[in-house]
């Protein structure tokens, strides 16, 4: 008799994106009504969230029109899941399920799929290398609520972050190195080239409350830089996609571009917090910031592609799944236990301990 292979459901969490022009407004409403994003009591959050969504719909619709009227994120995430399943197939019966936070497929529908498949165990894998309460934290809370609603009760292990996992850093560095070499070959020898590691920004108040995201972004950059073979490398970290009027962490990507223009330095932009192409890479980086760079007179503007289903990246995810599954922690980082310094009280390990 053949040995029973447990059915392992791997839940891939991501932001989601509108799948048609008419989905832009409701997608934005879902985003800005999330209490993890707009941190106000519901009575205030609802009118404000609706107002912000209405105000941003026109600009967002124009961005998605450049992409054919929809986000490519779901198809790219499904492809990542299929590649990850294939990488794990020799050793486990794994199936990847996609749960998006702000547009279909939502967590509840995905939880029903997992239940129907008859999974024996689950691994929660946010496709955000760095943990933030606004991304991975919100998705994991949403997943738990969905499981309670549909009656899905599985032994589960949660990977909270993998910001400086060696496999992730190595795979990302390979993409950066190839892009750097290509850019360097296209530039005159006398023109310096700087790598801008651009991450999605956060309001400064969220970081000051203990969110570990910014610290983890910096760890990601250090890990990737450590894998590069570029003597005298010039690089910096910056933050994009500010959407509310309060003070956000910086420097902004716009400021980094202005600084490069003053120094007459070409730039290679690497999206360090995104692992799939979507509007913030294909429009914000490739169109808006490229136009700004040209306007500022920057001598060269280049971009590192997102990982998507890059073989090295998928191999890194497979390695993470293996380690999580083999470990004895229900909540773990890429290295096992908590990685964040003590001042980051919104680290999920700190929250779990405080809740115990």
């Amino acid at each position: 008799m053949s040995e029973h292979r447990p059915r392992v459901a791997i839940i891939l969490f991501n932001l989601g994106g509108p799948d048609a022009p008419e989905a832009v407004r409701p997608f934005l409403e879902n985003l800005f009504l999330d209490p993890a994003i707009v941190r106000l009591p519901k009575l205030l959050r609802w009118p404000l969230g609706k107002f912000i969504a209405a105000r941003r719909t026109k600009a967002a619709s124009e961005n998605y029109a450049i992409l054919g009227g929809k986000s490519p994120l779901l198809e790219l995430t499904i492809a990542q899941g299929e590649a990850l399943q294939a990488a794990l197939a020799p050793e486990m019966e794994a199936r990847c399920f996609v749960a998006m936070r702000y547009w279909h497929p939502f967590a509840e529908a995905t939880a029903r799929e997992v239940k129907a498949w008859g999974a024996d165990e689950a691994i929660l894998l946010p496709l955000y290398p760095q943990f933030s309460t606004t991304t991975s934290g919100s998705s994991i809370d949403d997943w738990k609520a969905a499981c309670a609603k549909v009656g899905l009760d599985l032994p589960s292990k949660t990977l909270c972050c993998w910001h400086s996992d060696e496999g992730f850093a190595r795979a990302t560095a390979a993409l950066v190195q190839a892009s750097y070499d290509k850019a360097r070959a296209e530039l005159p020898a006398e023109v310096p080239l700087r790598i801008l590691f651009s991450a999605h920004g956060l309001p400064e108040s969220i970081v000051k409350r203990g969110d570990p995201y910014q610290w983890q972004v910096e760890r990601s950059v250090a890990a990737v830089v450590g894998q590069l073979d570029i003597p005298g490398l010039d690089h910096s970290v910056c933050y994009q996609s500010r959407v509310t009027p309060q003070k956000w962490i910086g420097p902004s990507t716009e400021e980094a571009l202005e600084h490069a223009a003053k120094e007459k330095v070409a730039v290679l932009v690497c999206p360090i917090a995104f692992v799939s192409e979507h509007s913030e890479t294909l429009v914000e980086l490739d169109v808006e910031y490229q136009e700004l760079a040209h306007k500022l007179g920057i001598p060269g503007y280049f971009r590192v592609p997102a990982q998507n289903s890059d073989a090295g990246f998928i191999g890194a995810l497979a390695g993470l799944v293996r380690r999580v599954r083999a470990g004895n922690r229900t909540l773990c980082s890429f290295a096992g236990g908590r990685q964040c310094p003590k001042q980051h009280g919104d680290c999920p390990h700190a929250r779990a301990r405080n809740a115990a």
Side-chain angles (χ1 to χ4, degrees):
M1 184 182 289
S2 62
E3 186 182 345
H4 171 67
R5 300 175 79 206
R7 288 188 156 195
V8 184
I10 300 168
I11 318 302
L12 302 177
F13 296 112
N14 215 326
L15 183 81
D19 51 13
E22 58 271 19
V24 174
R25 174 77 170 266
F27 163 75
L28 290 173
E29 288 184 351
N30 290 336
L31 174 66
F32 291 112
L33 292 176
D34 182 356
I37 303 295
V38 177
R39 300 190 173 192
L40 291 170
K42 189 174 181 180
L43 200 63
L44 297 173
R45 186 175 70 252
W46 273 73
L48 180 60
K50 294 264 187 183
F51 171 75
I52 296 171
R55 191 174 176 184
R56 290 190 59 81
T57 296
K58 184 175 183 292
S61 295
E62 289 169 357
N63 285 353
Y64 285 112
I66 294 170
L67 305 178
K70 56 177 285 192
S71 169
L73 190 58
L74 177 57
E75 287 80 6
L76 291 172
T77 306
I78 289 170
Q80 287 171 323
E82 289 170 349
L84 180 55
Q85 279 174 205
L88 294 168
E91 60 219 81
M92 65 181 83
E93 187 178 355
R95 182 170 163 190
C96 292
F97 296 84
V98 176
M100 295 299 193
R101 185 63 185 93
Y102 302 118
W103 201 244
H104 304 282
F106 292 118
E108 185 178 332
T110 304
R112 292 186 192 281
E113 276 189 63
V114 172
K115 188 176 182 181
W117 184 57
D120 297 306
E121 57 187 271
I123 292 174
L124 309 189
L125 176 56
L127 288 175
Y128 306 101
Q130 306 88 11
F131 178 88
S132 173
T133 51
T134 62
T135 53
S136 302
S138 179
S139 285
I140 291 164
D141 288 347
D142 186 47
W143 174 254
K144 289 176 180 175
C147 289
K149 191 169 183 181
V150 307
L152 178 63
D153 186 13
L154 280 179
S156 298
K157 291 178 178 176
T158 302
L159 177 64
C160 63
C161 63
W162 33 284
H163 52 83
S164 43
D165 170 67
E166 187 179 352
F168 165 62
R170 191 186 313 113
T172 304
L175 294 171
V176 174
Q177 185 82 50
S179 297
Y180 187 94
D181 293 344
K182 185 173 182 292
R184 189 66 272 171
E186 292 181 28
L187 287 168
E190 68 274 11
V191 175
L193 178 59
R194 174 177 299 155
I195 302 176
L196 299 182
F197 289 97
S198 185
H200 196 292
L202 267 187
E204 196 176 76
S205 59
I206 291 176
V207 173
K208 284 184 173 176
R209 280 184 215 142
D211 193 294
Y213 174 75
Q214 185 173 17
W215 179 81
Q216 292 197 8
V217 166
E218 290 166 0
R219 298 314 304 150
S220 292
V221 171
V224 171
V225 167
Q227 297 275 353
L228 293 172
D229 181 23
I230 303 174
L233 172 65
D234 179 7
H235 74 280
S236 64
V237 185
C238 51
Y239 296 90
Q240 65 184 89
S241 311
R242 178 181 170 187
V243 292
T244 58
Q246 73 252 59
K247 187 176 181 184
W248 280 46
I249 56 176
S252 69
T253 305
E254 292 95 328
E255 288 168 337
L257 290 173
E258 288 165 4
H259 193 56
K262 284 176 187 170
E263 297 186 344
K264 297 181 169 48
V265 174
V267 296
L268 170 64
V269 183
C270 173
I272 193 62
F274 305 124
V275 297
S276 311
E277 302 289 7
H278 62 308
S279 65
E280 281 157 344
T281 60
L282 298 171
V283 178
E284 196 168 2
L285 293 184
D286 289 354
V287 178
E288 295 172 3
Y289 288 148
Q290 185 164 27
E291 287 176 357
L292 177 60
H294 180 73
K295 184 179 175 183
L296 292 169
I298 288 174
Y301 182 93
F302 306 90
R303 209 253 293 175
V304 180
Q307 290 87 345
N308 291 338
S309 294
D310 169 74
F313 173 64
I314 297 300
L317 289 184
L320 287 164
V321 169
R322 291 184 194 104
R323 294 207 304 276
V324 170
R325 189 160 179 259
N328 57 7
R329 296 174 181 268
T330 55
L331 172 66
C332 61
S333 70
F334 68 98
R338 176 176 178 171
Q339 298 296 300
C340 302
K342 272 188 177 177
Q343 68 264 31
H344 301 296
D346 272 345
C347 164
H349 297 267
R351 285 187 158 197
R353 190 179 66 246
N354 293 338

